Structure formats: structure tokens, C-alpha cells
Amino acid sequence: MNYQWYPGHMTKAKRMMEENIKLIDLIIELVDARVPMSSKNPDIDRLAKNKSRIILLNKADLADPKWNEKWADHYQNRGFFVTEINSKTGAGVKTIQTLVQNACREKMERDRKRGILNRPVRAMVVGIPNVGKSTFINTLAGKACTKTGNKPGVTKGKQWIRLNKNLELLDTPGILWPKFEDQKVGEKLAMIGSIKDEILHGDELAMAVINYLQKEYPKLLTDRYQIELQEKAYQTLEEVCIVRKCFQKGEQPDIMRASGMVLEDFRSGRIGRITLEHPED
């Protein structure tokens, strides 16, 4: 399956970010903790040269805790300020203000020496579609400042949000990059729901999830569906059909219905806490 997907509004969003970067002191990038490398847009690194950087491992509650810790170490060792958060529940969000102060300490010291006092830090919040940027901003602000939704492409234009006298945020639309050099990256982004499901084959995607779980988290899969794992992912999907009574007329397994169930169970964390990639990969 080809996972390329780059609607026209993303070109416009990227241009807007390039135009506004000179106003920015800090880049706050949200990545999905289940795929911290694949959900990190390489264009941001180019845009954010010489800017202070924070990486938020969002949806950390859905990812394997062991790998959350290793990914945090991985990015800290590369000069980023990092923390785990769950933007929906607010877990970890209280640490952000301190993280911002630490990330911008040198800039604030330069301002102080120039006699510039009480100028708020201006931060651009960036990330791929459906990574939870707007939910994060609303949680941090303690009120609904932005539109949110559990599908890609909800934020359409830039929005400045003044949180307090010390911090202003620029919310930006989620953008992917024009070409995935590695189709595995596209596959992982499709698994977590950052590429619109309408353009994908749900059964192929569900089988990709099952293939990975059979190798890395077999017990989570068997515990969730009470099935015996089969040699091929398609056969395991058929087992799910039988156990969950997903049948078409004539008692044929309803593979598409079972596929939707597996994808939803994976994305919501009902199967368990799963990380799809590791720093050494």
C-alpha cells in the first residue's frame, strides 16, 4: 500500500510556519509516544535551526512505559528538553511552564542584560495531524482556546494564544511532509490514525498491526481477543472474526468489520500499551 498523503492545505501551513519562525523563541513539538521517530516531522528540524526545542511525548499512556523512558533519554541526549504527557487528562502538563523556562534560560538572560524585562516567551506548537496539539493547548490554558478532534486536519490556520504574562503560543495546523522515504513510516502513521482512513485499506492496516503484535506483544493480542495466534496475520484476523462473531451473510468472516475493531482497539489502548519503534531502530 502507498501511504503518501499531502493535501494542498499542508503546503500553505508549511509556508505560514516559515513566515512566522522569526517571531518565535521556542518550538514545542508534540510527537506520538507510540512512534516518536515516525511522528517527528523532519521539516521542523530545518525550520527550527537555532531555536530552543521541547519535545512532548504525547499519548504516553498508550505507549509502553519502558520505551517512553528510553525515547526521552534518546532526545535529551540530542539536546532537546523532553517530557511525557497525556494532553487529554492533563498528566505531565503542569511541568511545561518549568520546561519552557529551562529551555529559554539563555534567551531570557540575554533579554535581561539588554534591559528587556517581562517579554513573554513566544512558542510555536507544531506536530503532525492528530497528534493532540489543540487538546494540549486547551489543557495548558485551562480552557477551550482551539478546535479539537480525533481526526487529522482540524486546525486550519494559525492562532495566537496568550497563556499568561510569561508565555504566548502559536498554534499551527498539523503537517506531514511531501514524501515518505521509508514506507514503513507512512504505515506507522496510518496505524495511529495520522493519515485519513478513507484513503487506506483497513484490512491491510489491521494485518500490519497484528503482524507487529504477534512479534512484539503476543500476549496482549491473545488476552484481548482470547484467540490462538496463527502463522499468518490474515488467519489471526479470521480468528478474531469467529470469537467476536463478525460474519457476513452465509457465515463468511467479515474481515473489514474485524479490521476496524482491531484498529480501534489498538488506537484507543484497549489492547494495551504498545510502542511501534525503538531508538536503536
Side-chain angles (χ1 to χ4, degrees), residues 74-254:
H74 172 82
Y75 281 126
Q76 280 164 358
N77 291 337
R78 281 154 181 75
F80 297 93
F81 291 81
V82 188
T83 194
E84 298 172 31
I85 67 164
N86 176 348
S87 59
K88 272 190 177 174
T89 66
V93 172
K94 285 183 180 173
T95 65
I96 303 300
Q97 297 277 5
T98 303
L99 209 59
V100 168
Q101 299 294 312
N102 291 338
C104 294
R105 185 166 285 142
E106 288 181 16
K107 174 253 170 208
M108 292 161 79
E109 185 59 24
R110 283 196 306 273
D111 279 356
R112 191 185 64 76
K113 285 178 177 172
R114 291 175 189 155
I116 303 168
L117 303 175
N118 301 321
R119 187 174 85 75
V121 169
R122 288 186 151 185
M124 182 184 283
V125 182
V126 299
I128 65 169
N130 204 29
V131 79
K133 295 186 311 304
S134 297
T135 304
F136 160 69
I137 289 172
N138 291 342
T139 302
L140 187 60
K143 60 185 177 183
C145 304
T146 67
K147 290 181 182 175
T148 63
N150 64 349
K151 60 182 180 181
V154 173
T155 304
K156 296 296 185 191
K158 72 174 182 179
Q159 302 181 73
W160 277 104
I161 296 116
R162 188 179 178 94
L163 290 186
N164 52 49
K165 64 183 175 60
N166 298 317
L167 182 60
E168 290 180 358
L169 299 181
L170 176 60
D171 186 21
T172 59
I175 59 168
L176 292 171
W177 46 109
K179 184 172 174 55
F180 300 131
E181 299 301 332
D182 180 357
Q183 282 293 296
K184 278 287 177 191
V185 170
E187 183 178 82
K188 289 172 192 170
L189 294 181
M191 285 182 186
I192 64 168
S194 286
I195 297 176
K196 286 184 176 177
D197 285 339
E198 299 93 279
I199 68 166
L200 303 170
H201 300 291
D203 55 340
E204 290 183 32
L205 204 49
M207 282 188 278
V209 170
I210 288 171
N211 265 326
Y212 185 81
L213 296 181
Q214 290 194 159
K215 282 192 279 230
E216 300 289 336
Y217 297 93
K219 190 170 186 309
L220 292 183
L221 197 53
T222 55
D223 285 355
R224 175 66 186 168
Y225 298 110
Q226 300 299 301
I227 55 172
E228 294 282 333
L229 296 184
Q230 304 299 308
E231 188 180 343
K232 292 187 168 31
Y234 188 85
Q235 295 167 324
T236 299
L237 202 48
E238 287 182 318
E239 288 292 306
V240 174
C241 287
I242 293 165
V243 170
R244 292 301 176 90
K245 297 183 169 45
C246 297
F247 296 111
Q248 298 172 321
K249 286 180 182 175
E251 295 300 296
Q252 287 295 311
D254 191 337

Side-chain angles (χ1 to χ4, degrees), residues 246-280:
C246 297
F247 296 111
Q248 298 172 321
K249 286 180 182 175
E251 295 300 296
Q252 287 295 311
D254 191 337
I255 293 295
M256 293 310 295
R257 191 170 142 217
S259 296
M261 183 185 298
V262 169
L263 285 174
E264 180 53 34
D265 285 350
F266 163 69
R267 290 170 179 171
S268 65
R270 284 193 286 269
I271 293 175
R273 296 182 67 173
I274 294 158
T275 298
L276 296 174
E277 57 192 11
H278 308 146
E280 60 267 25

